[in-house]
Amino acid sequence: MHVVLVADHAAINGGQAKVAIESALGLAARGVRVSLFAAVGPVDPRLEPAGVRVVCLDQDDVTTARSKLAFAAQAIWNGPACRALAAELAACDPRDTLVHVHAFAKALSPSIGTALRASRLPCLYTMHEFFLVCPTGGFYAYPAQRICHRTPMSPACIVANCDARSYPRKVARMVRHAGLAHVARLPELFAHVITISDLQESVVRPLLPRGTAFHRVDNPIAVAPAPVHDGPPGDFLFVGRISTEKGAPIFAEAARRAGVRAAFVGDGPERADLAARYPEAVMLGWRDAAAVQALMRRARALVFPSVWYEGQPLTVYEALACGAPVIVSDACAGREAVADGETGFWFRSGDADDLAAHLRRLTDDGLAARMGQAAHERYWAAPLTLDTHLDRLEAVYGTVLREAAARVPARGPLGRPFATA
């Protein structure tokens, strides 16, 4: 089997790239032939020594583009990426090759659909976010600060100013989505879609063609087994982008109302404002993975107050694996990992008072310790290891390849299809 992974970035810069690159390394270690096609460098230095063929176009993404106008054109339809992917796939053996797309919206653009269709190779898509069905990728109305329930590209969607920056950027994204749906026809192309939470599948299923096959493959969690911390519980902890959609302001306000200290690990557009409005909060900045996990092991609880859907928030699972209870918004996919009242609590999304009530409950050291122990035991009874991820991924690949083989008619010695009754 030859797996061609397609992603915007060739190095880890977030959850999407992390899953793509870690799976590439894991598959290669299992003897699978793996290629990675990406738009943006640098290239993760582990890939080529592991035997992974890397094709990186060294293009810009939104963070490196010198011309925003030129990048907007690239994001709408990246012709060079389309041509380069077509050339790469043309050299692949159709008898054993499968294309797995992880990301396209940050650099590659929907143009990859033209190359994928021309190759006639079996392909599938992992829905790390919602760009396949939503022009802004998140089903979230930023100005209103709430989940968006409009049908994508409906009249109500078209006139809505829901983008994080401006309506003109929303227009550009709608132009891209029109190309995605009507030129590249990506929703039709990806007959197999990997989802990473039940909530995600329930949201996208009505928006994809009837007959789309959904496969649940949880992302791997990189936490080493360790005993539960036996010291006194520490602070309530937030880890991630300090932004409105992640619920950071709700946590800061709830902590004040509960009379507890909020500790923030990360950075983002709301950090300076929250630091000024809530001087009692602790802003720790970004920390590496080992330091974050050390903080989780000592935390009284992780608070995950996200007010949008999310995909599969890895932070929630990492905290549970570290033995920290989790207080999670009931509107996001993170709730699926938390047994309410056993390994943490659900609270009403966006409700600072409800969150404050749960924070006060976990000021009880005994309750925090019992929930932390339960979280640890429940997670490690079925850990989301890389091997578990790869086992499931290879099973899905087998299904996709068998289905593709069944569609190819058997051929006689002269290359003509055998006659069928």
Side-chain angles (χ1 to χ4, degrees):
M1 180 167 57
H2 176 202
V3 177
V4 180
L5 300 176
V6 177
D8 285 319
H9 294 84
I12 294 175
N13 70 330
Q16 290 180 348
K18 180 177 175 62
V19 174
I21 289 170
E22 294 297 340
S23 65
L25 293 168
L27 289 167
R30 290 186 171 200
V32 177
R33 189 153 59 97
V34 181
S35 301
L36 175 68
F37 181 92
V40 184
V43 175
D44 189 299
R46 298 172 295 168
L47 289 168
E48 290 175 332
V52 177
R53 170 178 165 79
V54 179
V55 177
C56 181
L57 305 182
D58 289 322
Q59 293 182 321
D60 287 328
D61 65 7
V62 70
T63 65
T64 60
R66 286 169 290 185
S67 168
K68 300 303 181 186
L69 186 61
F71 179 75
Q74 172 187 319
I76 290 171
W77 197 263
N78 189 339
C82 174
R83 292 188 290 273
L85 181 60
E88 181 69 13
L89 298 183
C92 295
D93 188 337
R95 294 171 298 180
D96 66 359
T97 303
L98 172 146
V99 185
H100 182 176
V101 178
H102 279 274
F104 63 86
K106 300 294 178 64
L108 288 171
S109 87
S111 70
I112 62 169
T114 303
L116 292 171
R117 182 169 280 103
S119 76
R120 303 179 67 85
L121 295 170
C123 58
L124 73 159
Y125 177 70
T126 289
M127 191 163 292
H128 294 285
E129 20 63 359
F130 296 101
F131 278 112
L132 189 63
V133 289
C134 171
T136 60
F139 287 104
Y140 187 72
Y142 282 88
Q145 299 181 16
R146 63 171 180 262
I147 291 171
C148 175
H149 296 285
R150 300 178 183 91
T151 300
M153 300 300 283
S154 67
C157 168
I158 290 171
V159 301
N161 178 17
C162 57
D163 191 80
R165 296 184 185 173
S166 67
Y167 186 72
R169 192 174 80 148
K170 165 81 178 288
V171 171
R173 288 180 159 193
M174 288 191 291
V175 171
R176 177 179 66 186
H177 199 79
L180 178 156
H182 302 297
V183 181
R185 305 200 312 276
L186 290 184
E188 300 168 28
L189 182 63
F190 295 124
H192 293 268
V193 172
I194 289 175
T195 56
I196 52 180
S197 65
D198 294 340
L199 174 62
Q200 188 184 59
E201 182 178 336
S202 72
V203 170
V204 304
R205 181 181 283 275
L207 301 172
L208 289 175
R210 186 175 298 177
T212 300
F214 292 92
H215 308 273
R216 174 67 178 272
V217 181
D218 289 313
N219 288 332
I221 307 300
V223 176
V228 177
H229 176 66
D230 60 1
D235 290 328
F236 290 96
L237 190 66
F238 174 102
V239 177
R241 178 174 165 82
I242 302 175
S243 61
T244 300
E245 70 274 11
K246 291 290 188 178
I250 295 166
F251 174 41
E253 178 61 25
R256 173 174 287 179
R257 295 181 190 183
V260 302
R261 188 165 71 167
F264 289 85
V265 175
D267 204 347
E270 296 296 319
R271 176 178 174 172
D273 180 62
L274 291 183
R277 289 166 52 201
Y278 301 93
E280 69 274 18
V282 179
M283 298 291 174
L284 299 173
W286 287 116
R287 301 294 176 90
D288 63 26
V292 170
Q293 290 177 20
L295 289 167
M296 286 179 172
R297 294 187 195 283
R298 297 192 298 271
R300 185 171 295 271
L302 176 83
V303 180
F304 196 84
S306 186
V307 296
W308 63 355
Y309 286 135
E310 298 284 349
Q312 181 198 4
L314 303 185
T315 303
V316 170
Y317 291 86
E318 290 171 355
L320 297 170
C322 289
V326 176
I327 306 176
V328 62
S329 157
D330 65 0
C332 79
R335 71 189 187 198
E336 296 173 22
V338 178
D340 189 25
E342 180 185 343
T343 63
F345 295 112
W346 296 7
F347 75 96
R348 288 188 297 275
S349 181
D351 189 331
D353 281 333
D354 196 41
L355 175 53
H358 290 306
L359 296 175
R360 282 191 289 268
R361 292 176 72 181
L362 277 176
T363 58
D364 181 329
D365 289 356
L367 178 61
R370 289 193 298 274
M371 281 193 158
Q373 185 66 45
H376 188 269
E377 291 175 359
R378 187 182 181 95
Y379 175 83
W380 288 105
L384 300 182
T385 63
L386 179 60
D387 277 335
T388 301
H389 173 79
L390 295 174
D391 288 344
R392 179 67 182 133
L393 202 57
E394 289 191 276
V396 173
Y397 289 168
T399 298
V400 175
L401 287 170
R402 285 191 296 272
E403 181 182 292
R407 290 198 302 266
V408 178
R411 295 185 177 273
L414 298 180
R416 299 191 180 97
F418 283 119
T420 57

